[in-house]
Amino acid sequence: IILQAGVGSMAGGVLGAFCNYYGADALTSLIVEPQQADCIYRSGMSGEIVNVNDDLNTIMAGLACGEPCTIGWEILRNNASGFMSCNDSLAASGMRILANPSGDDSKVISGESGAIGVGVLYALATNPQAKKLMTEFGFNKDSVVFILSTEGNTDPINYQNIVWEGAYQLTK
């Protein structure tokens, strides 16, 4: 499961539901958020709630929160397999992939905050430096991954700049 976090309430609720149904030990879960507002990541690294008071300037505006929800954080702390702080290019990559799927997959119009999970999965699967992380999390070609897009095209100008014009390119 790859879930995006702002304050962590959605991620905590979804992860909690999956853990209740399948059991926490049956799942691998990665909680992702923007580097500029990575309060859940920092909390995960310290084990205690950490607020981010920096400039929360990210294209993932829906995740630019900086202060964890105490209830969501408790669920994430106790059940998440890992946390990741992500740059904006991963969200942009996810938007392009969802808008231009391969094969018979359906097109998905997703905004930046909703597309970060797909961008992270793509980076993990294609970046040679991510092989160790892929192994640690048990991801392989046969993995079934749950990703939830939480927003559509909330900013048509930025959407076009990212999907059509290629803004926020990944660097290899």
Side-chain angles (χ1 to χ4, degrees), residues 17-93:
F18 271 89
C19 289
N20 282 338
Y21 188 82
Y22 294 103
D25 294 338
L27 305 169
T28 299
S29 56
L30 181 59
I31 310 303
V32 300
E33 64 187 329
Q35 281 177 338
Q36 298 85 345
D38 59 359
C39 58
I40 299 295
Y41 169 80
R42 293 183 197 191
S43 298
M45 297 301 99
S46 77
E48 298 179 15
I49 287 183
V50 175
N51 293 334
V52 174
N53 299 317
D54 304 334
D55 178 9
L56 306 178
N57 187 20
T58 174
I59 64 170
M60 295 174 269
L63 303 178
C65 301
E67 187 173 326
C69 165
T70 56
I71 296 169
W73 164 242
E74 185 175 326
I75 295 167
L76 296 174
R77 180 192 65 215
N78 295 333
N79 296 291
S81 304
F83 304 90
M84 183 178 281
S85 178
C86 307
N87 66 40
D88 286 345
S89 66
L90 292 176
S93 177

Side-chain angles (χ1 to χ4, degrees), residues 9-170:
S9 57
M10 183 282 297
V14 171
L15 183 57
F18 271 89
C19 289
N20 282 338
Y21 188 82
Y22 294 103
D25 294 338
L27 305 169
T28 299
S29 56
L30 181 59
I31 310 303
V32 300
E33 64 187 329
Q35 281 177 338
Q36 298 85 345
D38 59 359
C39 58
I40 299 295
Y41 169 80
R42 293 183 197 191
S43 298
M45 297 301 99
S46 77
E48 298 179 15
I49 287 183
V50 175
N51 293 334
V52 174
N53 299 317
D54 304 334
D55 178 9
L56 306 178
N57 187 20
T58 174
I59 64 170
M60 295 174 269
L63 303 178
C65 301
E67 187 173 326
C69 165
T70 56
I71 296 169
W73 164 242
E74 185 175 326
I75 295 167
L76 296 174
R77 180 192 65 215
N78 295 333
N79 296 291
S81 304
F83 304 90
M84 183 178 281
S85 178
C86 307
N87 66 40
D88 286 345
S89 66
L90 292 176
S93 177
M95 290 172 66
R96 286 189 284 275
I97 291 166
L98 289 168
N100 301 285
S102 63
D104 294 330
D105 289 346
S106 298
K107 178 180 179 179
V108 175
I109 304 298
S110 178
E112 301 84 342
S113 298
I116 184 61
V118 170
V120 165
L121 182 60
Y122 175 76
L124 289 173
T126 60
N127 188 321
Q129 296 172 342
K131 287 199 184 295
K132 181 180 179 211
L133 190 58
M134 290 285 287
T135 302
E136 285 177 23
F137 280 93
F139 287 131
N140 61 47
K141 66 179 182 58
D142 299 317
S143 294
V144 175
V145 181
F146 176 86
I147 298 173
L148 177 65
S149 177
T150 53
E151 72 177 6
N153 180 3
T154 59
D155 183 345
I157 293 171
N158 202 43
Y159 182 87
Q160 184 172 345
N161 286 337
I162 291 170
V163 175
W164 292 14
E165 305 297 330
Y168 303 97
Q169 289 290 315
L170 282 176

